[in-house]
């Protein structure tokens, strides 16, 4: 039987590694991305370039879905002109409430239509900003709710859940060699400011928390 997976693919570093991970494990892989009114569309613009470079006979359709509702709700530094800092809730202002739960729900619904029950996402609780919807418990509880609500077994694979950014770079090398590491450096965007300035660790402003995490992970990976 053909195994298939749907990868939540934003065009960032983590989801690109997840895509390579899925291509190594499944016979057929489709991708889904979400336009939720992000202030910077650099990530979304990177998606087709990365997909082109990872093209293989396993890689199937790409889906780009609109989730304007997150922009309508607003209030996050990722959707509105809000300063990136620690918020009163104890979470950074980059937190978009409900985002990953919504992404998983919509991906599962799309998967239902596409005959795919295996989802792959880059959520990670090891080395991130403490977003509660990136935690394994949240992701697995959502998978359980979706399995009940769709009356089929939905599995959510999170290959990055327990590894840090340095190990994510190492996983990229393990999956796709230097070529994949180079592709991630050249094409993926994770900067909260959508800055395209080049560095040895990739493109970004070099200042925001996402760039800081990516740069320090790269340094550790390179053994510097
Ligand atoms: Zn940045």
């Amino acid at each position: 039987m053909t195994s298939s997976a749907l990868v939540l693919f934003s065009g960032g570093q983590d989801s690109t590694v997840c895509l390579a991970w899925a291509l190594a494990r499944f016979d057929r892989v489709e991708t889904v991305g979400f336009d939720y009114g992000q202030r910077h569309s650099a990530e979304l613009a990177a998606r087709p370039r990365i997909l082109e470079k990872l093209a293989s006979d396993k890689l199937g359709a790409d889906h780009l879905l609109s989730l304007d509702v997150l922009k309508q709700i607003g209030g996050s530094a990722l959707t509105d002109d809000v300063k990136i800092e620690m918020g009163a809730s104890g979470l950074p202002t980059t937190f978009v409430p409900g985002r990953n739960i919504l992404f998983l729900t919509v991906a599962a619904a799309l998967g239902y239509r596409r005959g795919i029950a295996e989802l792959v996402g880059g959520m990670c609780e090891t080395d991130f900003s403490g977003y509660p919807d990136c935690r394994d418990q949240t992701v697995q509880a959502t998978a359980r709710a979706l399995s009940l609500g769709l009356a089929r077994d939905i599995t959510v694979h999170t290959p990055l859940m327990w590894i840090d950014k340095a190990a994510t770079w190492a996983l990229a090398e393990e999956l796709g060699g230097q070529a994949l590491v180079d592709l991630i450096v050249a094409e993926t965007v994770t900067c909260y400011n959508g800055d395209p300035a080049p560095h040895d660790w990739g493109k970004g402003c070099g200042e925001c928390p996402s760039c800081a995490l990516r740069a320090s992970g790269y340094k550790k990976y390179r053994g510097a």
Side-chain angles (χ1 to χ4, degrees), residues 190-195 201 203-212:
T190 42
C191 175
Y192 285 149
N193 294 313
D195 191 324
W201 45 265
K203 290 186 275 195
C205 69
E207 305 287 333
C208 75
S210 186
C211 281

Side-chain angles (χ1 to χ4, degrees), residues 100-106 108 119 123 132-133 135-150 154 156:
N100 279 333
I101 295 169
L102 191 57
F103 284 3
L104 287 170
T105 302
V106 174
L119 307 180
M123 298 81 170
D133 59 343
R135 291 187 192 134
D136 189 54
Q137 210 178 10
T138 308
V139 172
Q140 293 313 323
T142 305
R144 174 80 180 130
L146 290 167
S147 298
L148 291 169
L150 295 171
I154 303 294
V156 181

Side-chain angles (χ1 to χ4, degrees), residues 62-75:
D62 176 46
H63 312 269
L64 184 62
L65 302 178
S66 166
L67 281 177
D68 288 347
V69 63
L70 290 175
K71 171 75 178 166
Q72 280 179 277
I73 294 167

Side-chain angles (χ1 to χ4, degrees), residues 152-166:
R152 63 178 56 179
D153 284 332
I154 303 294
T155 305
V156 181
H157 302 271
T158 51
L160 311 184
M161 183 59 76
W162 308 111
I163 66 176
D164 67 9
K165 281 284 174 194

